[in-house]
Amino acid sequence: MRILSGIQPTGRFHWGNYFGAIRQYIDLQNGQDTAFYFIANLHALTTVREKSRLVQNTLDAAIDLLSLGLDPNRATLFVQSDVPEVSELCWILMTTTPMGLLERCHAYKDKKAKGLTADAGLFSYPVLMAADILLYDSELVPVGEDQIQHVEVCRDIAGSFNHSFGEVFVLPKAYVVKDTAKVPGLDGGKMSKSYGNAVDVFEEIKLQRKKIMGIVTDSRPMEEPKNPEGDHLFELYSLFASAEQTKLLAETYCRGGFGYGGVKKELLVLAESYFAEARLRREELSARPEKVREILAEGAARARKKASEVLQRVKQACGIVILPTL
Ligand code: ADP
Ligand code: TRP
């Protein structure tokens, strides 16, 4: 099985990114499968318009992924723009992608609904994502819930190309872990860096404490039984807790007679210990950016090998080849 996913370097990773996507990258690298993971800097260009920030974010994303357990000996890690074949494939796919398909995609639709004007880059964002996936004959794409639509669009784009030119592309499937597909933020909505409700994986513990202790909980008297289902503090707690600890807390909720402050403190302790090793690895790696660049260069070389084979196949199929001598 060929696994692939990408993540944008638009800021530091939060708990939603980790449990919704990155943890699956790491689990999936450990089997017999081929796993490719990349930092989607070309996609990030649709929102980050500051050169130094994009460069720093890209390096930070690589350091974060490696610190969280992505192993360059088991998986291939690279930066999207280091495989320029992807932009060429993106154009080729664009020629058989119906406009209507892209008009229905949520990033563009949401922006338009707000009365904002979108760039052509944002509009065609799903085509570049399809190129990312199809360029490596990927079969399984680990993502959080919000990216399922894009993987479906990729299947449609591949299907539309195959319809015109023959069975060129493998159709991929999204890989979503249901329990963590939509991690709630501090306000109970989906955790996202754009909603100001996120807890970053590597931010200072002091700041994390402030955020968690500030979570608004329901104001009914302590004695009253509470429903753990749909309670975002409970959901966040269960991300870090063992099954046994989660079960105990669910019972406590149903019984009532507890304070949310205690739950928040426990959550902080669990989260701190959960990421303690990753924090140490991050400190070590941040001191060795040249090592990180080396890993990325090796990853890009491996990725390009596969990418150029697939691109050649695509070009042959649609007639983008040097004319044979008559
Ligand atoms: P953000 O919404 O903060 O901008 P991204 O869109 O960059 O996050 O998402 C990167 C990856 O993390 C994607 O695979 C996405 O599905 C996943 N992801 C993001 N937020 C969450 C969340 N709250 N719960 C689960 N997965 C998430
Ligand atoms: N669009 C994805 C996101 O915002 C990132 C991404 C780009 C991606 N290319 C991809 C994810 C290919 C999976 C496969 O999170």
Side-chain angles (χ1 to χ4, degrees):
M1 186 81 91
R2 300 189 68 89
I3 294 154
L4 169 132
S5 196
I7 195 153
Q8 292 194 60
T10 41
R12 298 303 296 278
F13 297 137
H14 52 68
W15 289 355
N17 299 140
Y18 176 75
F19 287 101
I22 300 170
R23 195 171 63 167
Q24 279 64 260
Y25 301 177
I26 291 155
D27 287 348
L28 291 169
Q29 78 185 352
N30 295 326
Q32 295 305 308
D33 307 307
T34 311
F36 278 14
Y37 300 122
F38 65 92
I39 298 160
N41 61 341
L42 294 171
H43 277 107
L45 207 49
T46 60
T47 49
V48 183
R49 296 283 158 72
E50 203 186 309
K51 167 183 151 183
S52 58
R53 198 152 70 84
L54 188 54
V55 171
Q56 187 59 47
N57 283 357
T58 305
L59 185 64
D60 273 334
I63 297 177
D64 285 356
L65 291 169
L66 294 165
S67 309
L68 287 166
L70 202 142
D71 178 353
N73 296 313
R74 292 171 190 268
T76 296
L77 175 66
F78 60 99
V79 175
Q80 187 183 29
S81 61
D82 284 343
V83 183
E85 286 80 0
V86 78
S87 303
E88 195 172 345
L89 179 60
C90 178
W91 173 257
I92 295 176
L93 294 177
M94 204 96 84
T95 61
T96 54
T97 301
M99 291 283 281
L101 188 63
L102 302 182
E103 275 159 3
R104 288 194 294 277
C105 286
H106 57 67
Y108 169 73
K109 224 168 85 178
D110 294 351
K111 198 155 184 176
K112 217 169 151 232
K114 284 186 195 143
L116 301 167
T117 51
D119 299 314
L122 183 74
F123 183 68
S124 37
Y125 177 116
V127 190
L128 180 57
M129 183 157 160
D132 287 326
I133 298 171
L134 301 174
L135 190 57
Y136 305 98
D137 286 336
S138 315
E139 295 165 273
L140 207 61
V141 184
V143 282
E145 192 180 82
D146 57 342
Q147 294 299 317
I148 298 176
Q149 183 191 39
H150 289 150
V151 180
E152 290 300 317
V153 167
C154 171
R155 287 174 67 89
D156 290 346
I157 291 176
S160 162
F161 188 92
N162 284 356
H163 180 75
S164 300
F165 299 111
E167 290 304 303
V168 179
F169 291 122
V170 174
L171 300 195
K173 278 205 187 87
Y175 174 82
V176 181
V177 174
K178 229 170 119 225
D179 284 348
T180 54
K182 191 174 173 189
V183 172
L186 297 165
D187 56 359
K190 174 199 173 258
M191 184 177 286
S192 169
K193 56 177 122 16
S194 4
Y195 304 153
N197 65 356
V199 182
D200 292 350
V201 172
F202 291 114
E203 78 193 340
E204 270 188 57
I205 302 281
K206 232 168 80 185
L207 192 54
Q208 289 190 342
R209 180 168 306 128
K210 205 166 150 211
K211 288 182 176 179
I212 299 294
M213 295 315 286
I215 292 180
V216 178
T217 45
D218 86 39
S219 53
R220 283 174 299 160
M222 260 174 79
E223 309 73 56
E224 260 187 52
K226 316 278 182 326
N227 187 359
E229 224 168 278
D231 179 281
H232 55 294
L233 179 58
F234 178 81
E235 277 183 45
L236 289 173
Y237 177 93
S238 56
L239 294 173
F240 297 98
S242 64
E244 182 61 18
Q245 285 169 316
T246 304
K247 188 167 157 266
L248 281 176
L249 186 64
E251 286 165 7
T252 307
Y253 263 63
C254 296
R255 217 181 307 120
F258 69 98
Y260 284 112
V263 183
K264 292 176 181 174
K265 283 189 190 135
E266 259 187 69
L267 164 59
L268 277 164
V269 171
L270 288 175
E272 187 174 350
S273 96
Y274 192 96
F275 288 120
E277 258 181 53
R279 276 186 195 267
L280 284 179
R281 274 199 298 266
R282 188 169 211 294
E283 256 175 53
E284 285 163 22
L285 268 176
S286 324
R288 302 175 63 202
E290 72 299 338
K291 172 77 191 157
V292 179
R293 287 198 190 94
E294 205 179 287
I295 291 172
L296 293 173
E298 277 169 20
R302 256 185 272 160
R304 276 197 90 171
K305 192 163 173 289
K306 177 70 185 169
S308 55
E309 278 168 31
V310 176
L311 185 62
Q312 206 45 43
R313 190 173 83 216
V314 174
K315 288 164 84 171
Q316 290 284 349
C318 62
I320 306 289
V321 282
I322 295 174
L323 288 178
T325 44
L326 294 173

